[in-house]
Each structure stands twice: as C-alpha cells, then as structure tokens.
Amino acid sequence: MSKSDDYDAELEQLQIQLVETQAWAMEQGLRVLILFEGRDSAGKDGAIKRIVEYMAPRQTRVVALPKPTERETGQWYFQRYVPHLPARGEIVLFNRSWYNRGGVEPVMGFCTPDQHEQFLHDAPRFERMLTDDGVILIKLWLDISKSEQAERLTARTTDPLKRFKTSPLDAEAQKRWDAYSAARDGMLAATHTDQAPWTIVATDKKKRARLNIIRYILHRLDRPGLKADRPDPDIVFPADRAEGRLAS
C-alpha cells in the first residue's frame, strides 16, 4: 500500500469518527467553535475541507469573513463575529477570525498600535465570556517554515485551480516574515489562557498535519467510545511549550 493509500485510509477512518462525534455533539447540544489561524498558505483551507466534508450541513458552518465594511469598522471590534457564533448543536469553523487584529492588521498597518494593544487586552476577556457560557473553543495556530511557505505561494501562481487562493497580500507574506513572527509571538503570549489555550500545528507536511488536526479535535471533544489515536506531539503541541519550535 502506498503512502497516499495509507493517508486516504486513515483520513476516512477519522472522518467516520468526526461524523459519529458530531452526532453525539448534536444530541448533547454542544456549541463548538474552532478557530483556524496561521500564516498564508499554512493549510487552513485544506484542513477545513477535510473536516467538514461529511459533516451535517445544517449543523456545520464555515465562516470566512471578507474585509469589514465601513459600518463594521465603526462597531465594537468583536461585533461582526458574534452573529456567527454556534448555537446549540452546531459546530462553527472560522477560517481566520478576530485574530486578524493579532497579526495581519498590525503588520499591514490596517489598525493602529492602540487598537492592536486594546485587542490583545480584550480578546481573553471576550473568550472568557464565551467559555463561561459553555462554548467549547478550540484555537489552532497552523505554523509553517519560510521555505515551505515560499514553495506553496509560488505553486499558487502557476496552478489555474488555485486561482481563488491567491491574494494581493501573498507577496507581503515573505517580505514581512519577521514582522509576522513578532506579531504571532506577541499574540500567543497575550491570548494563551487556561480558558482558551492556543494549540500549535506544524504544517510543513500537509497531509500529516491534516490527520493530526482531526485527531486533536476529536480528543478535545472526547466523545464516549472514540476510536482515534492521539495526535503526534511533534506536530501538535500547546503554545506554552512552543519555545524553539515555531518557525522564525
């Protein structure tokens, strides 16, 4: 059996466990919120696609908000995200979230230093409100090396099927690598809390990362009777144990 066959077989078994876990979560009335953050090309889209592929469409939502409107820029910062939070029995996956203000916005100058500082102060309080109300909040930072990112960004420009994955900001990802690293480190330090911890996923090996993300989610939800290996600790690890392991 080839490595590709091994991957497909394991992915299928994990997706079966996801379906079973979602059925249980719906019965329990759980509200599950999963945030996918990370550098450009770190694999957020691909991981989310495999997670939701066979899940219940009415109880599963993927949220990828566009640039805020003029009206939204005059609101409380978290306001535009609140309508998308999960209701009872729902699983919601954010493909980038309020953490835009923790990374992209300050690096690209889309917010002021004061707004960035206020966000780092407010985010843990906002998330504490969510978890105190019973929301299961899973925060994933998908990490990627500079060389691997460069290869993936180049591949986007030559593959016609990846047309909609390209962005005017892609060129800035490598140019501003160090600035993004500094923003990431500050964000993780300020917003990794007991109530809403960050989990890091090393994604240079894309398929291994996807499998381990699904394993991690399954074990966080911890359905009775779950049949899935625990994630590889070399690929998935808590942010407070990430020193020296993040791409810099």
Side-chain angles (χ1 to χ4, degrees), residues 9-160:
E10 183 170 359
L11 177 62
E12 181 179 12
Q13 291 305 308
L14 289 171
Q15 288 174 325
I16 290 171
Q17 293 298 310
L18 275 174
V19 170
E20 294 297 323
T21 293
Q22 183 173 33
W24 169 79
M26 289 164 57
E27 291 173 0
Q28 299 297 312
L30 301 184
R31 290 173 290 160
V32 181
L33 178 60
I34 308 174
L35 309 187
F36 282 81
E37 295 290 343
R39 297 183 191 264
D40 289 336
S41 78
K44 296 180 289 295
D45 293 346
I48 291 170
K49 180 179 178 181
R50 273 70 183 185
I51 290 167
V52 304
E53 189 171 6
Y54 299 107
M55 295 177 74
R58 293 183 181 178
Q59 282 75 33
T60 309
R61 288 185 287 117
V62 177
V63 179
L65 296 183
K67 177 182 176 181
T69 64
E70 184 176 352
R71 181 175 185 276
E72 286 172 333
T73 60
Q75 295 175 342
W76 175 49
Y77 177 71
F78 296 94
Q79 189 169 336
R80 71 192 297 247
Y81 298 98
V82 171
H84 303 282
L85 296 175
R88 186 179 298 275
E90 289 184 342
I91 297 177
V92 175
L93 303 91
F94 272 82
N95 187 344
R96 294 197 183 276
S97 65
W98 46 86
Y99 280 101
N100 279 327
R101 184 148 290 180
V104 173
E105 289 189 16
V107 170
M108 295 302 299
F110 297 157
C111 70
T112 67
D114 285 346
Q115 287 173 326
H116 179 222
E117 184 177 353
Q118 187 66 46
F119 167 78
L120 295 178
H121 176 72
D122 289 345
R125 295 193 296 170
F126 175 62
E127 292 167 1
R128 179 65 182 262
M129 291 173 65
L130 297 180
T131 57
D132 281 353
D133 197 54
V135 172
I136 298 173
L137 177 57
I138 299 173
K139 302 191 312 190
L140 301 173
W141 174 267
L142 277 57
D143 206 49
I144 186 172
S145 67
K146 188 175 184 180
S147 59
E148 180 65 20
Q149 185 192 60
E151 289 185 19
R152 293 186 191 180
L153 291 174
T154 299
R156 286 181 178 181
T157 65
T158 58
D159 187 342

